[in-house]
Amino acid sequence: MSRAGEHLALRESMIATARRMNASALNQGTSGNLSVRVEGGFLLTPTGMDYDALVPEDLVLMRFDGRHEGRRSPSSEWQLHRDLLAARPEVGAVLHAHSMFCTTLACLHRDIPAFHYMVSAAGGTDVRCAPYATFGTAELAANVLAALDGRKACLMANHGMVALGKDLASAFKLAVEVETLAAMYWRALQVGEPVLLDGAEMARVLEKFKTYGQQPALPPREG
């Protein structure tokens, strides 16, 4: 079996998600990248390739020591994905995008504060903006890792955003939520400074988010 065949369904899912990123305007062109944890490493989108042209063999198998396998070169942000997956064992997928409103706020070096309770979806009382560093560097990876301490998403100064998930679907869902929050916050700033929720309320919201969206298990069907 070829390397691509070992993870064929996962590779196809990554390609579909990458295309969905562009179709949903979460990303543009060949910017942004995706990774998914697999045994012994992670799969990563290749550098500089049109998502619509990708085939499963184009996905790069990365090892945590920086080695890669396959016919393509990995995304320039491979260190970012490697360091996040190495440091956060609960994370199964990493999504990086240059979404319009997150990037707009990131170019202002602004966090997204507790202007809306859904900020808690990213794991805390705000969505931090990581300090700027050149793309594809270990410094950028370190800055993002620090900004994601206790969080599942962050902005990247003068660059974009990152969202983490247990799988591709949850990472994509969170990225859309954070971009929506960024758009709402940006619009509110056009009128004035939004009224922020206080720490006590955000603590209540974070507690409620521990069970938010969970459905009870359905009984087995009879017959």
Side-chain angles (χ1 to χ4, degrees):
M1 181 183 293
S2 68
R3 284 295 185 186
E6 287 182 17
H7 311 105
L8 182 58
L10 190 53
R11 289 169 182 262
E12 290 175 339
S13 181
M14 289 179 69
I15 292 170
T17 301
R19 292 171 180 169
R20 190 179 178 197
M21 285 166 62
N22 280 9
S24 66
L26 193 61
N27 206 53
Q28 305 82 37
T30 61
S31 61
N33 27 75
L34 290 169
S35 66
V36 178
R37 189 190 300 275
V38 296
E39 185 177 357
F42 56 99
L43 292 172
L44 180 66
T45 47
T47 186
M49 290 192 67
D50 187 333
Y51 294 146
D52 286 335
L54 288 181
V55 296
E57 290 79 10
D58 292 325
L59 277 293
V60 183
L61 178 60
M62 293 290 306
R63 302 301 183 184
F64 284 100
D65 62 4
R67 291 179 297 120
H68 68 273
E69 302 174 21
R71 66 183 190 177
R72 302 296 187 186
S73 296
S75 165
S76 59
E77 297 295 3
W78 68 265
Q79 290 185 87
L80 173 68
H81 291 264
R82 189 270 308 274
D83 291 359
L84 287 171
L85 290 168
R88 301 283 293 267
E90 80 281 9
V91 171
V94 178
L95 183 155
H96 165 50
H98 296 178
S99 55
M100 189 63 67
F101 287 96
C102 282
T103 303
T104 298
L105 294 178
C107 289
L108 297 168
H109 292 207
R110 295 194 72 137
D111 300 341
I112 302 177
F115 80 103
H116 192 288
Y117 74 87
M118 282 300 293
V119 167
S120 299
T125 59
D126 60 4
V127 178
R128 304 184 186 113
C129 182
Y132 179 77
T134 305
F135 77 93
T137 62
E139 182 184 3
L140 177 61
N143 289 350
V144 171
L145 188 60
L148 284 169
D149 183 31
R151 302 287 190 273
K152 295 184 288 185
C154 76
L155 309 184
M156 304 162 68
N158 307 93
H159 191 152
M161 62 91 74
V162 171
L164 311 178
K166 68 182 189 315
D167 52 27
L168 273 176
S170 58
F172 182 86
K173 181 179 179 181
L174 179 58
V176 170
E177 183 63 53
V178 173
E179 174 66 1
T180 301
L181 288 165
M184 291 190 292
Y185 183 50
W186 182 88
R187 287 179 167 90
L189 288 170
Q190 309 315 299
V191 179
E193 283 293 330
V195 176
L196 303 184
L197 300 173
D198 62 27
E201 175 57 20
M202 289 303 289
R204 284 191 287 271
V205 171
L206 284 164
E207 184 63 28
K208 290 174 72 67
F209 256 90
K210 292 179 180 179
T211 55
Y212 177 79
Q214 296 181 14
Q215 295 290 338
L218 295 175
R221 288 186 175 185
E222 296 181 1

